[in-house]
Amino acid sequence: RIADEADIWPTIINHHGVPLALGRTRRLATAGQTMALIARDAGCSFPGCTHPPQWCDRHHIVDWILDGPTDLENLTLLCRYHHTHFLHKGWSCRINSDRLPEWIPPRWIDHDQQPHTNTRIRRLNTNANCKTEAGDDGSKALQHEHHAY
């Protein structure tokens, strides 16, 4: 009898039991999803932006109001500036085949609209097991691409 009256909400969890995919059951990302976003994006995902995670909002790539799920496959981190202005400036976002956020510029920036992935995200996810080597002076400098978007 109870099963007849129950609502079933599928949830995908990682091996630690952290919810990663909540579908339409919840609009706001959980703490576990936020930690997974920080691990994947390490800050604002917009190309060239270097803002750290603590300055970022969690963003639905397909808006919640348009039936976008609260899943890692539909979330990314954006600093307040990019969260507020990317759409007005003609950019769009999607998750690529490597499960990373990539940004499509408007035609006035790139006629072919080639996707861009923040170099920090690309580096983190392709060199996750590599160590940073120190320079001749012992420093460990990170290099970021800067674009005037």
Side-chain angles (χ1 to χ4, degrees):
R1 175 164 150 70
I2 292 174
D4 280 352
E5 298 171 6
D7 288 330
I8 298 173
W9 298 100
T11 302
I12 297 172
I13 59 173
N14 71 7
H15 64 281
H16 295 294
V18 175
L20 301 178
L22 298 172
R24 299 278 305 157
T25 63
R26 183 176 167 151
R27 185 178 72 85
L28 299 177
T30 65
Q33 287 175 314
T34 300
M35 294 306 294
L37 284 169
I38 290 169
R40 184 191 73 194
D41 297 355
C44 181
S45 69
F46 196 85
C49 188
T50 60
H51 284 107
Q54 59 269 32
W55 292 8
C56 293
D57 300 324
R58 293 150 300 183
H59 168 69
H60 282 84
I61 295 168
V62 175
D63 286 333
W64 171 262
I65 196 83
L66 298 175
D67 290 331
T70 305
D71 300 345
L72 283 182
E73 299 289 325
N74 190 48
L75 294 169
T76 191
L77 293 177
L78 285 176
C79 69
R80 183 57 50 107
Y81 175 81
H82 288 115
H83 202 187
T84 305
H85 293 94
F86 81 89
L87 192 58
H88 173 70
K89 296 196 180 272
W91 287 79
S92 62
C93 185
R94 66 184 182 203
I95 299 293
N96 67 19
S97 61
D98 293 327
R99 303 172 87 180
L100 302 174
E102 64 183 14
W103 290 87
I104 312 302
R107 288 202 186 279
W108 62 269
I109 290 178
D110 178 1
H111 181 31
D112 296 327
Q113 294 189 296
Q114 293 297 309
H116 296 261
T117 301
N118 188 301
T119 55
R120 176 192 62 252
I121 295 172
R122 208 175 24 217
R123 185 172 45 253
L124 283 172
N125 288 280
T126 58
N127 297 323
N129 296 321
C130 297
K131 295 182 179 179
T132 304
E133 293 185 25
D136 292 336
D137 63 354
S139 66
K140 295 181 181 179
L142 294 177
Q143 296 180 8
H144 299 280
E145 289 181 9
H146 295 281
H147 303 279
Y149 297 128

